């Protein structure tokens, strides 16, 4: 069962309108109205459970009423709901909860994940430095670890979401996070490589020698783009269906952070061919994820709309 719990704070003179909207939405249940209990903002509190597949439509109608402006809308997932009414609400709601996309939640989540912050820069820089150790030592385990640490999928998902939702501010925020984030991470990793060389831990010969486990990082081909497309689809589905475990798998399947690390270390040693090849690999993977993520969201939006039409038209 996939049920959402909504807590609404509504000015007293708008409560009837909001309650009517909730009652007319298929897939809602457990409606509770608490008059006059809210203090900031002042008003009534309305509680309601809604099947996930009906959640996006209800949130859209509540925002159309301006409730997010003059009141408050809070949403949380219910892990367990033992109720025949909840079962009935989910049966009545169109489609399947696992296929539903909560666009408001997706926009908010990607907005947060695509913000350029000290924490974002720290994770990306650390991931790139770990990957630098991996490429110099030709150690696949370190490469996988670096991929898992990297936070770059957030801005990539934000960019895809912004293109589908036509949200220019989210697009700008995501692009800034990607460009500035990778630039800072690569500069710091170049310095890290120089420092490691000074301590005798990195050597230019290690980068130039054959590296059967990590050579692919600076040798992009069509398979790189295909994998990026597949990862973009899987990552987008994991976000829209809240499957965090799948998102971890996506993180360790695309060579964005390792490519940035190889480019940074190669730059420090003057290995221009490797630096250019790694940069191409990085751009190819970033582009593939964004293209796939955008197409996946467009397909979900279209298919969900068709499914709702068929269900409600019965």
């Amino acid at each position: 069962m996939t049920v959402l719990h909504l807590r609404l704070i509504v000015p007293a003179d708008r409560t009837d309108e909001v309650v009517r909207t909730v009652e007319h939405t298929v897939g809602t249940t457990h409606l509770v109205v608490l008059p006059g209990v809210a203090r900031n903002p002042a008003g009534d509190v309305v509680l309601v459970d809604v099947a996930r597949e009906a959640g996006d439509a209800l949130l859209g109608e509540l925002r159309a009423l301006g409730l997010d402006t003059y009141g408050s809308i809070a949403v949380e997932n219910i892990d367990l709901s033992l109720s025949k009414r909840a079962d009935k609400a989910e049966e009545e709601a169109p489609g399947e909860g696992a296929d539903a996309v909560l666009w408001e939640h997706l926009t908010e989540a990607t907005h947060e994940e695509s913000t350029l912050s000290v924490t974002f820069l720290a994770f990306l820089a650390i991931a790139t430095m770990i990957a630098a150790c991996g490429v110099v030592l030709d150690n696949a385990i370190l490469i996988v670890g670096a991929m898992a640490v990297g936070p770059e999928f957030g801005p990539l998902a934000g960019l895809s979401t912004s293109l589908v939702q036509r949200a220019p501010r989210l697009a700008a925020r995501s692009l800034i996070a990607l460009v500035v984030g990778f630039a800072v991470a690569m500069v710091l990793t170049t310095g890290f490589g120089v420092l490691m060389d000074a301590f005798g831990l990195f050597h230019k010969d290690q980068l130039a020698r054959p590296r059967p486990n990590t050579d692919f990082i600076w040798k992009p081909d069509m398979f790189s783009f295909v994998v990026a497309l597949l990862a973009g689809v899987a990552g987008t589905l994991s976000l829209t269906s809240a499957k965090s475990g799948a998102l971890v798998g996506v993180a360790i399947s695309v060579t964005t952070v390792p490519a940035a690390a190889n480019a940074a270390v190669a730059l420090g040693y003057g290995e221009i061919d490797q630096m250019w090849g790694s940069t191409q690999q990085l751009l190819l993977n970033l582009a593939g994820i964004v293209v796939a993520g955008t197409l996946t969201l467009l397909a979900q939006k279209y298919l969900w709309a068709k499914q709702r039409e068929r269900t409600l038209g019965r």
Side-chain angles (χ1 to χ4, degrees):
M1 175 181 294
T2 309
V3 179
L4 304 174
H5 179 68
L6 274 61
R7 187 200 66 215
L8 315 174
I9 298 179
V10 190
D13 61 338
R14 306 294 297 272
T15 300
D16 290 342
E17 182 181 26
V18 169
V19 169
R20 281 196 300 272
T21 299
V22 171
E23 290 178 332
H24 291 161
T25 301
V26 176
T28 59
T29 187
H30 303 153
L31 176 62
V32 177
V33 180
L34 305 173
V37 299
R39 291 293 179 265
N40 184 21
D44 304 334
V45 172
V46 177
L47 307 175
V48 63
D49 293 343
V50 57
R52 178 184 172 87
E53 49 268 45
D56 190 64
L58 178 57
L59 290 173
E61 291 187 33
L62 293 174
R63 292 199 66 182
L65 293 176
L67 185 56
D68 56 323
T69 302
Y70 60 74
S72 170
I73 305 172
V75 184
E76 59 183 341
N77 287 305
I78 296 180
D79 295 327
L80 177 64
S81 180
L82 303 177
S83 167
K84 289 294 184 183
R85 289 182 177 273
D87 293 341
K88 185 174 184 296
E90 191 171 27
E91 291 174 2
E92 292 175 347
E96 294 294 331
D99 297 332
V101 180
L102 296 175
W103 291 100
E104 298 293 344
H105 178 268
L106 180 62
T107 301
E108 185 66 24
T110 52
H111 182 278
E112 180 179 349
E113 293 295 325
S114 62
T115 300
L116 182 64
S117 63
V118 173
T119 301
F120 176 84
L121 289 174
F123 270 114
L124 190 55
I126 291 170
T128 309
M129 291 178 191
I130 294 173
C133 295
V135 297
V136 171
L137 298 176
D138 194 32
N139 189 314
I141 295 176
L142 290 176
I143 295 296
V144 171
M147 293 161 122
V149 173
E152 74 280 5
F153 190 81
L156 293 171
L159 190 55
S160 295
T161 303
S162 69
L163 293 174
V164 175
Q165 294 293 86
R166 298 179 182 178
R169 289 186 179 180
L170 179 58
R173 181 185 295 267
S174 301
L175 281 173
I176 290 172
L178 283 172
V179 174
V180 175
F182 272 108
V184 170
M186 292 171 73
V187 168
L188 292 176
T189 302
T190 300
F192 173 74
V194 172
L195 184 64
M196 293 289 280
D197 183 81
F199 280 103
L201 298 174
F202 281 6
H203 301 283
K204 184 175 181 179
D205 292 343
Q206 291 176 296
L207 194 70
R209 70 184 180 185
R211 290 180 284 139
N213 293 321
T214 57
D215 269 349
F216 70 94
I217 292 172
W218 63 279
K219 296 178 179 178
D221 53 26
M222 282 308 298
F223 278 109
S224 301
F225 190 68
V226 170
V227 171
L229 288 175
L230 296 174
V233 173
T236 302
L237 290 175
S238 73
L239 285 179
T240 57
S241 61
K243 302 290 186 182
S244 58
L247 190 56
V248 174
V250 171
I252 62 176
S253 65
V254 186
T255 54
T256 48
V257 165
N262 202 91
V265 176
L267 175 63
Y269 282 125
E271 294 283 344
I272 303 303
D273 287 343
Q274 281 206 39
M275 184 194 73
W276 177 237
S278 301
T279 302
Q280 288 180 303
Q281 180 79 275
L282 174 62
L283 295 176
L284 194 64
N285 280 273
L286 294 177
I289 292 174
V290 172
V291 169
T294 302
L295 293 176
T296 300
L297 289 175
L298 287 172
Q300 286 182 290
K301 196 171 189 177
Y302 174 78
L303 293 173
W304 183 251
K306 289 296 183 182
Q307 188 175 39
R308 280 181 57 84
E309 288 177 7
R310 288 196 299 271
T311 304
L312 296 177
R314 290 176 182 174

